[in-house]
Amino acid sequence: HADIAMYRAKKLGRNNTQFYEPAMNEEARERLRIESALRNALERQEFVLHYQPQVDLQSGRIVGMEALLRWQHPELGMVAPNRFIGLAEETGLIVEIGAWVLRTACAQARSWMDNGHGMLRIAVNLSPRQFSEPQLLSSIAEVLQETGLPPACLDIELTEGLFMHDVAQAVELLHKLKALGLALSIDDFGTGYSSFSYLRHFPIDVLKIDRSFVSDISEDDEAAIVVSIIALAHNLKLRVIAEGVETESQVDYLRRHGCDEMQGYYFSRPLPAAEFEQLLRQGRDLQTVAA
Ligand code: C2E
Ligand code: MG
Ligand code: MG
Ligand code: MG
């Protein structure tokens, strides 16, 4: 209780004390309920990963997938991450949940590669809390070793918010992560703390264009931000992936402007593992979708 009260108090500021207290008790109870449900969820194995293909715009083929967390709640059904990641983050449970995500995703990628589906990259989202966890480096190294996934096949997705605080420390950790042999992506690029200076100093491999910019691509308009991000990425020798691609005209536009990869409902929604493997087995590609 004390922790949550402190958190709320800090967030709202001292002057609001007299107004928030009654509501806070209600909210604190609600948060505790979700927290204990989240804690149980790990033990009861209620978390599942869905996988969304990442498609090379030149070859049209699936080259990787992003692991996306879902909570299969016994009463609420399939709960989307936006409804619980924030709380998992605040309570610190994200560290344990994130470790499960990483292990499960890497084991799954390794197993698809063992089943003859070729080299595949697996992208895993990392929350800020995990990033400040002292065990992060050793736990990633351990998962890579235990699953036998080639490090180059792991892509860690970070958000710009991570770079706001202790820049020197962040740079050091990113270099240690890179030394494991994995790839680093900036997720939702352009929506956060977008200082270009970090791009020069940080060992990043991929920019993921946020879907809000991709949705600006329409039939006749120039999507200036998308084009600029592609140019920026390529000038810095980074790969660029467009997120939230929903239409064929967006695919054409991105290809014409040299974007490397796409991810979005146009090709496929995030899928349970068995259905994702179906796509791999069918050899689904961008030509198949357009046909
Ligand atoms: P994200 O990492 O930016 O993931 C992309 C989100 O966009 C996913 O939502 C995906 O389902 C959705 N999406 C993909 N293609 C399209 C499209 O064409 N149109 C639209 N409208 N949406 C599309 P999802 O799965 O609900 O995840 C939301 C966010 O939750 C993720 O955003 C990520 O920030 C977070 N998240 C998901 N899984 C994890 C995880 O394992 N750990 C952490 N820390 N965060 C996660
Ligand atoms: Mg992501
Ligand atoms: Mg994103
Ligand atoms: Mg997002």
Side-chain angles (χ1 to χ4, degrees):
H1 278 92
D3 273 4
I4 291 168
M6 282 275 277
Y7 171 79
R8 296 299 298 172
K10 258 198 253 166
K11 201 167 172 181
L12 294 171
R14 285 181 189 284
N15 296 339
N16 290 320
T17 305
Q18 62 272 37
F19 301 114
Y20 75 76
E21 257 172 2
M24 186 203 68
N25 290 331
E26 187 57 32
E27 206 183 313
R29 264 196 302 278
E30 168 71 15
R31 293 161 65 85
L32 278 176
R33 259 211 317 278
I34 302 175
E35 184 187 343
S36 84
L38 270 177
R39 211 177 280 285
N40 290 334
L42 264 177
E43 286 158 22
R44 295 180 189 160
Q45 299 181 285
E46 291 171 358
F47 290 116
V48 286
L49 293 182
H50 284 187
Y51 299 88
Q52 187 175 38
Q54 297 181 325
V55 180
D56 184 288
L57 279 162
Q58 286 309 312
S59 69
R61 296 182 57 90
I62 298 174
V63 289
M65 55 273 161
E66 178 173 5
L68 293 158
L69 184 61
R70 273 95 183 90
W71 181 6
Q72 182 70 71
H73 190 281
E75 282 130 43
L76 301 174
M78 202 64 95
V79 184
N82 290 337
R83 288 177 61 197
F84 64 88
I85 293 274
L87 191 68
E89 175 85 21
E90 287 164 21
T91 56
L93 278 169
I94 192 69
V95 173
E96 245 180 292
I97 297 170
W100 176 85
V101 169
L102 183 72
R103 183 172 302 272
T104 306
C106 289
Q108 182 63 80
R110 172 68 211 237
S111 140
W112 282 329
M113 285 162 62
D114 286 346
N115 289 349
H117 297 300
M119 286 293 267
L120 290 167
R121 240 184 310 104
I122 177 80
V124 176
N125 293 284
L126 201 77
S127 86
R129 182 74 172 247
Q130 289 173 275
F131 194 73
S132 57
E133 174 64 31
Q135 304 295 317
L136 177 70
L137 199 67
S138 59
S139 71
I140 294 178
E142 197 179 294
V143 165
L144 286 171
Q145 191 172 23
E146 283 174 13
T147 60
L149 184 76
C153 294
L154 177 60
D155 179 352
I156 299 285
E157 294 193 3
L158 310 164
T159 47
E160 292 164 296
L162 286 182
F163 311 138
M164 272 173 62
H165 305 295
D166 192 337
V167 174
Q169 203 183 325
V171 174
E172 194 188 325
L173 180 52
L174 292 180
H175 279 287
K176 287 180 179 161
L177 286 169
K178 280 300 298 171
L180 295 176
L182 45 75
L184 297 174
S185 297
I186 305 295
D187 203 353
D188 307 336
F189 182 76
T191 61
Y193 163 82
S194 303
S195 159
F196 290 142
S197 68
Y198 77 74
L199 288 175
R200 280 188 293 132
H201 300 303
F202 288 16
I204 290 156
D205 304 280
V206 180
L207 297 185
K208 294 191 75 176
I209 308 174
D210 189 70
R211 77 160 185 267
S212 59
F213 304 123
V214 173
S215 68
D216 286 344
I217 303 173
S218 61
E219 300 298 329
D220 34 37
D221 255 5
E222 269 297 298
I225 295 179
V226 169
V227 176
S228 306
I229 296 176
I230 294 170
L232 175 68
H234 287 166
N235 286 332
L236 293 165
K237 310 267 187 290
L238 308 179
R239 206 150 37 84
V240 59
I241 305 182
E243 298 193 274
V245 179
E246 294 185 352
T247 67
E248 187 168 7
S249 67
Q250 291 169 349
V251 172
D252 292 341
Y253 186 91
L254 290 161
R255 192 189 283 117
R256 237 182 10 258
H257 288 84
C259 185
D260 300 297
E261 291 171 32
M262 62 79 75
Q263 190 182 330
Y265 294 170
Y266 174 75
F267 187 84
S268 171
R269 288 178 177 262
L271 299 172
E275 287 174 45
F276 187 91
E277 189 165 15
Q278 277 292 109
L279 295 191
L280 293 173
R281 210 175 289 127
Q282 294 161 355
R284 186 183 169 94
D285 60 19
L286 273 174
Q287 283 72 42
T288 325
V289 176

